[in-house]
Amino acid sequence: MEFDALLLSRLQFAFTIGFHIIFPAFTIGLASFLAVLEGLWLKTKKPVYRNLYLFWVKIFALSFGMGVVSGVVMSYQLGTNWSVFSAQVGSVIGPLFAYEVLTAFFLEASFLGIMLFGWKRVGPKLHFFATCMVAIGTLMSAFWILAANSWMQTPHGFAFANDGTMVATDFVQVIFNPSMPIRFVHMVLAAYLTTAMVVAGASAFTLLTKKAVAESGTALRMGVLMMAIVAPLQIAAGHESGKVAHEYQPAKVAAMEGWWETRTQQPTLLFGWPDEQAETTHAAIGIPGMGSWFVAGDVNAELEGLKAFPKEDRPPVWLTFWAFRIMVAMGLAMVALGVWGAVVWALKRIDRATLYHRALVLAAPSGFVAVLAGWISAEVGRQPYVVYGVLRTVDAVSPVAAGAVATSLLFFIIVYAIVFSAGALYILRLMAKGPETEERAPEDASEPPGSPLATGVASASAKEG
Amino acid sequence: MFGVELSMIWAVLIALAVFLYVALDGFDLGVGILFPFAKDSRERDHMQAAIAPVWDGNETWLVLGGGGLFAAFPKAYAALMPALYMPITLMLLALIFRGVAFEFRHHGRKTGKKWWTVAFSGGSIAAAASQGLVLGGFIQGVNVVDGGFVGGPLDWLTPFSLLVAASLVAGYALLGAAWLVFKTEGELFERARSWVKRLAILSALGMAGVSLATLSVDPRVTERWGITMTSIDWPTFAALAPLPIVAGALVFLLWRDADLRRHSQPYLYSVALFLVGYVGLAVSLWPYIVPFQMTPAEAAAADNALALMLWGAIPMLPVILGYTAYVYWLFRAKVTDEAAYH
């Protein structure tokens, strides 16, 4: 494979957006979690909610900051690396990005200042309002970005203008394109689950180390409750999303499932090794008919395999197939952990279920893995198109030199590795310490949540040289 | 709509967003640029506290600038971004470092804090400089054929773009120093005052240098101002002469009010100085959105896209400006000594 500007640009986009997506996936859920915690604190005045809020807001501040800076990159990369795409579709999905900035980014960024630094400066109700605005902002942002991304999967409501660029004929159809509603639901549930897994995992860890038992026990229950309700819902949402994908992107579904032949009783493969050269899936172990039943509701439904599509219209199969399997495996594990949690909760043993706590610690990153794997299977499955069926990825790239893209990719990798390692270190350090029973509110802007004084870390006196 | 071309309305709105970005993020980048000149770690904590609650909102104007250019003028976005690939990428990387440093600086222990202090400062300087390179590369024009960039990867790197970069670093530092005059007291206030005085002179020299150099980037600019290095066409120049005169007066007022220990005027005069420079630039480049290649009408998205966005912007921009102003008002107090940690 030749490392030309196209391949390098694809790698760079995949790398930067893959890095970016894990932060919104976490902060969408965390912002809502914080709004719930603060609402409970205002209503019940139980210090446990206040302590939990002040603890998780520190982790939110760190994650949100990384999400912001990696997100700014995205708004420029469409132009630097995908200028032909930008010029082609700007009139159709450009307004969606504009609406995202106008309705979400400013809302989040402005009220974040009050959320992080205003605890002592504004009244409790206004502070709660600020938290809610940030939470709403994250959801609005998800709405617009999923609308734009879903339009690239299932483009509707557009036509070609005289100059060859695309124009919208109906913006309602552009925004609410066929896959948008279910993909938005699927993404928001994924974000909520990701947060639930992290909250439950971190709380289980502090329970195992016998720290802040009241706070950790409460947060654990909230995480488990979310998991038990949302994980099964997510399976159903994913199933619906798969049906829509099959209707509009059958080649993608065939790649996800590892189907080559068009036949009735398509199987659901548990394992297999797709081989694009031989046009088959080696060592396939599956349940016959289950695939047809899942997708079409009938074991005898005849569904298209990859051979029904010309080779140049097929997505990379191996990656789509395996990413999909990893996502589903994570989802099933979350359902199982939710059920397990409900059982120990019902038996009143949830605070002492050591084995369950260990399993939760292990599963803490499962949401991130599922989000990344799901995103890979959705976006790789969209190939070889950038706008499905309309614009090929190969025709969308900028006229830039391969050397320039290679250089920028190298620097993105280095910078993200540094920033990610440091951010992960600081977040894990906070999580290992756990919430305080006397969590202090930050006094002023010079003392952001998580600063040494606010967290009471002994290194407060540490000065740079 | 309203008897004006939609593309012109959007050109004005995006120009406004970019100016707000410069006036707002300019001061928080400037504070980072001034980090190496602070006395000690505690003073740096004060400096960062003066911008911490608002920097994220400030940077959002940059996203509106980039996203707005993509949405309203996709052809300009597609022509400019590949041409300015390297300085844009450098800017993004620099903004990552300084953005995370706000939080990371407080989480790092001894070496960590030292490292993120350097990252915050270095990132701020690099972000300002690369924005200068982008601006310089933009003003001197890009090589476009049939709407696509056809130049080389280093076309933006010229003595002119380097001059703009150096001037913009000085200008942002001026905004930062003036903001610190507004937000601090005591020893740091005195130090910031002396920074303002020196940076006012430096920024004035930078602006003058860039202005003169801009006259030579394209004959159309020379013609508009009526000035070359060796001749002045007085009737043409007289109409535009108020701009440099006002700029000179602002530099004087800025210097004097810093000298008189005034608190809020230096920042306002600095923003006014940037505004004059911005208007001067608009005069030079009018009517191009990609200098000397594309007008807003040629680069614009379809009318229905522009109209849809306008229906969003008309109610949302006043709301955004409203709550932004509220957050600024909420955090208007001086950064006090007891608030910083010891």
Side-chain angles (χ1 to χ4, degrees):
Chain A
M1 206 179 282
E2 195 193 345
F3 277 84
D4 55 5
L6 171 66
L7 181 64
L8 289 163
S9 289
R10 287 180 67 189
L11 285 172
Q12 179 168 309
F13 201 85
F15 178 74
T16 51
I17 205 169
F19 179 91
H20 173 66
I21 200 175
I22 58 181
F23 297 104
F26 183 41
T27 51
I28 289 169
L30 201 49
S32 297
F33 179 58
L34 286 167
V36 170
L37 284 174
E38 193 168 15
L40 287 170
W41 154 242
L42 289 183
K43 195 158 181 286
T44 66
K45 291 290 164 199
K46 285 185 185 161
V48 60
Y49 294 120
R50 176 185 167 280
N51 291 337
L52 278 172
Y53 180 89
L54 290 172
F55 171 69
W56 282 100
V57 81
K58 294 175 214 166
I59 290 166
F60 181 77
L62 277 164
S63 316
F64 197 85
M66 288 197 272
V68 168
V69 294
S70 57
V72 177
V73 172
M74 304 323 301
S75 73
Y76 282 85
Q77 234 185 121
L78 285 182
T80 52
N81 293 75
W82 303 99
S83 64
V84 179
F85 166 79
S86 305
Q88 279 276 314
V89 305
S91 292
V92 183
I93 57 171
L96 279 51
F97 291 111
Y99 269 83
E100 183 183 21
V101 182
L102 290 172
T103 60
F105 288 163
F106 278 110
L107 197 68
E108 293 171 278
S110 297
F111 284 100
L112 181 75
I114 299 179
M115 190 177 164
L116 298 186
F117 302 107
W119 187 267
K120 293 260 169 91
R121 211 174 266 271
V122 298
K125 280 189 184 142
L126 185 54
H127 193 272
F128 177 54
F129 177 76
T131 308
C132 291
M133 286 301 112
V134 173
I136 290 170
T138 61
L139 290 170
M140 301 249 248
S141 173
F143 174 86
W144 292 112
I145 212 74
L146 261 294
N149 180 265
S150 297
W151 183 83
M152 291 161 65
Q153 304 278 354
T154 52
H156 259 62
F158 72 100
F160 283 93
N162 294 332
D163 63 356
T165 64
M166 296 175 214
V167 291
T169 50
D170 181 352
F171 271 111
V172 175
Q173 281 186 33
V174 169
I175 296 166
F176 296 97
N177 60 76
S179 65
M180 188 273 166
I182 193 63
R183 293 183 81 241
F184 173 60
V185 170
H186 197 43
M187 183 67 219
V188 171
L189 293 182
Y192 279 14
L193 265 179
T194 301
T195 307
M197 299 314 291
V198 174
V199 168
S203 307
F205 182 80
T206 43
L207 277 180
L208 283 169
T209 52
K210 305 264 184 288
K211 275 189 265 183
V213 173
E215 282 76 12
S216 302
T218 303
L220 179 75
R221 282 172 173 78
M222 293 172 80
V224 169
L225 183 67
M226 179 65 85
M227 209 186 301
I229 295 171
V230 174
L233 284 178
Q234 179 69 321
I235 300 286
H239 176 63
E240 285 305 310
S241 185
K243 283 208 273 193
V244 175
H246 178 256
E247 190 177 344
Y248 294 92
Q249 301 173 290
K252 174 167 150 182
V253 172
M256 282 174 168
E257 302 283 1
W259 298 334
W260 291 93
E261 307 295 336
T262 299
R263 50 172 283 192
T264 60
Q265 299 199 5
Q266 288 281 19
T268 288
L269 300 184
L270 305 176
F271 182 85
W273 201 263
D275 182 340
E276 288 177 29
Q277 299 303 317
E279 299 194 307
T280 183
T281 300
H282 299 300
I285 304 168
I287 303 162
M290 197 159 161
S292 288
W293 183 70
F294 271 148
V295 173
D298 173 10
V299 286
N300 290 315
E302 184 179 86
L303 299 179
E304 289 158 308
L306 285 160
K307 283 185 185 171
F309 306 92
K311 271 194 175 171
E312 67 273 16
D313 290 349
R314 295 177 197 164
V317 184
W318 192 90
L319 199 53
T320 311
F321 178 87
W322 273 105
F324 180 67
R325 254 141 211 80
I326 291 170
M327 175 190 76
V328 173
M330 291 297 138
L332 294 174
M334 290 177 214
V335 172
L337 285 167
V339 172
W340 187 357
V343 170
V344 288
W345 193 346
L347 297 174
K348 299 196 190 320
R349 282 174 38 209
I350 192 164
D351 287 317
R352 290 168 288 123
T354 316
L355 186 64
Y356 182 56
H357 295 168
R358 289 203 180 122
L360 285 179
V361 173
L362 192 68
S366 58
F368 296 112
V369 176
V371 165
L372 276 175
W375 169 76
I376 288 170
S377 84
E379 305 304 305
V380 174
R382 189 194 64 218
Q383 303 299 328
Y385 295 100
V386 63
V387 180
Y388 196 76
V390 180
L391 180 65
R392 283 176 188 268
T393 311
V394 64
D395 298 325
V397 73
S398 290
V400 286
V405 187
T407 311
S408 64
L409 175 58
L410 180 70
F411 277 99
F412 272 115
I413 291 173
I414 294 170
V415 168
Y416 281 18
I418 295 171
V419 167
F420 185 84
S421 311
L425 171 72
Y426 298 143
I427 287 174
L428 290 175
R429 218 187 248 170
L430 281 172
M431 284 179 176
K433 212 167 86 38
E436 305 276 331
T437 39
E438 292 292 328
E439 198 70 57
R440 271 195 59 220
E443 297 279 342
D444 206 331
S446 58
E447 199 186 293
S451 72
L453 193 69
T455 51
V457 168
S459 65
S461 58
K463 294 260 168 82
E464 347 147 24
Chain B
M1 194 179 293
F2 317 121
V4 188
E5 289 232 12
L6 274 169
S7 58
M8 205 38 82
I9 297 175
W10 271 104
V12 170
L13 282 178
I14 287 174
L16 191 71
V18 171
F19 183 73
L20 277 169
Y21 172 74
V22 170
L24 296 176
D25 211 33
F27 77 70
D28 68 59
L29 286 165
V31 167
I33 295 169
L34 291 167
F35 244 41
F37 305 100
K39 188 183 72 180
D40 55 19
S41 179
R42 214 184 76 192
E43 200 164 282
R44 280 188 278 272
D45 291 344
H46 275 81
M47 288 165 75
Q48 212 172 32
I51 53 176
V54 293
W55 77 272
D56 190 356
N58 294 347
E59 201 171 300
T60 307
W61 293 99
L62 182 68
V63 182
L64 184 62
L69 190 66
F70 167 50
F73 300 102
K75 289 164 200 165
Y77 181 76
L80 287 168
M81 293 296 145
L84 301 168
Y85 189 91
M86 284 165 126
I88 293 267
T89 307
L90 179 63
M91 172 187 84
L92 296 172
L93 292 167
L95 288 175
I96 290 172
F97 266 121
R98 56 103 49 185
V100 297
F102 276 96
E103 281 292 320
F104 286 11
R105 226 181 131 250
H106 293 283
H107 287 273
R109 292 171 188 165
K110 207 168 174 183
T111 41
K113 183 163 185 179
K114 209 187 270 180
W115 158 250
W116 290 114
T117 299
V118 173
F120 181 67
S121 178
S124 301
I125 294 168
S130 46
Q131 284 176 11
L133 293 172
V134 168
L135 179 62
F138 171 77
I139 297 172
Q140 72 194 22
V142 298
N143 201 349
V144 173
V145 172
D146 289 337
F149 173 61
V150 292
L154 289 173
D155 282 4
W156 51 274
L157 185 61
T158 59
F160 176 73
S161 64
L162 289 171
L163 174 66
V164 178
S167 306
L168 197 63
V169 173
Y172 280 178
L174 171 66
L175 286 169
W179 182 255
L180 290 174
V181 166
F182 173 58
K183 284 289 287 183
T184 63
E185 52 192 21
E187 211 185 325
L188 181 53
F189 170 77
E190 296 300 332
R191 208 187 312 283
R193 245 168 25 93
S194 73
W195 288 336
V196 167
K197 282 155 92 176
R198 279 180 239 174
L199 287 164
I201 309 286
L202 211 55
S203 303
L205 289 174
M207 261 178 88
V210 170
S211 303
L212 286 175
T214 304
L215 291 173
S216 65
V217 298
D218 192 274
R220 276 163 282 200
V221 181
T222 323
E223 204 179 308
R224 180 144 309 148
W225 287 87
I227 299 185
T228 69
M229 285 308 258
T230 50
S231 70
I232 298 180
D233 172 30
W234 285 103
T236 311
F237 179 62
L240 295 169
L243 285 171
I245 292 169
V246 170
L250 282 168
V251 173
F252 169 74
L253 287 172
L254 184 52
W255 195 91
R256 192 201 60 176
D257 280 21
D259 201 51
L260 291 174
R261 313 169 54 85
R262 296 211 164 119
H263 289 250
S264 49
Q265 285 87 339
Y267 176 68
L268 297 176
Y269 286 138
S270 306
V271 171
L273 186 61
F274 265 87
L275 184 61
V276 172
Y278 201 68
V279 171
L281 190 61
V283 167
S284 299
L285 300 182
W286 179 268
Y288 297 104
I289 194 163
V290 178
F292 322 119
Q293 297 273 1
M294 277 183 216
T295 62
E298 289 162 355
D303 265 359
N304 65 345
L306 296 179
L308 176 71
M309 288 192 286
L310 198 56
W311 288 121
I314 288 170
M316 282 315 294
L317 279 177
V319 172
I320 289 166
L321 289 170
Y323 61 63
T324 303
Y326 173 70
V327 170
Y328 269 87
W329 181 80
L330 200 60
F331 294 101
R332 69 195 177 283
K334 294 258 184 194
V335 179
T336 53
D337 208 36
E338 58 265 32
Y341 49 86
H342 307 287

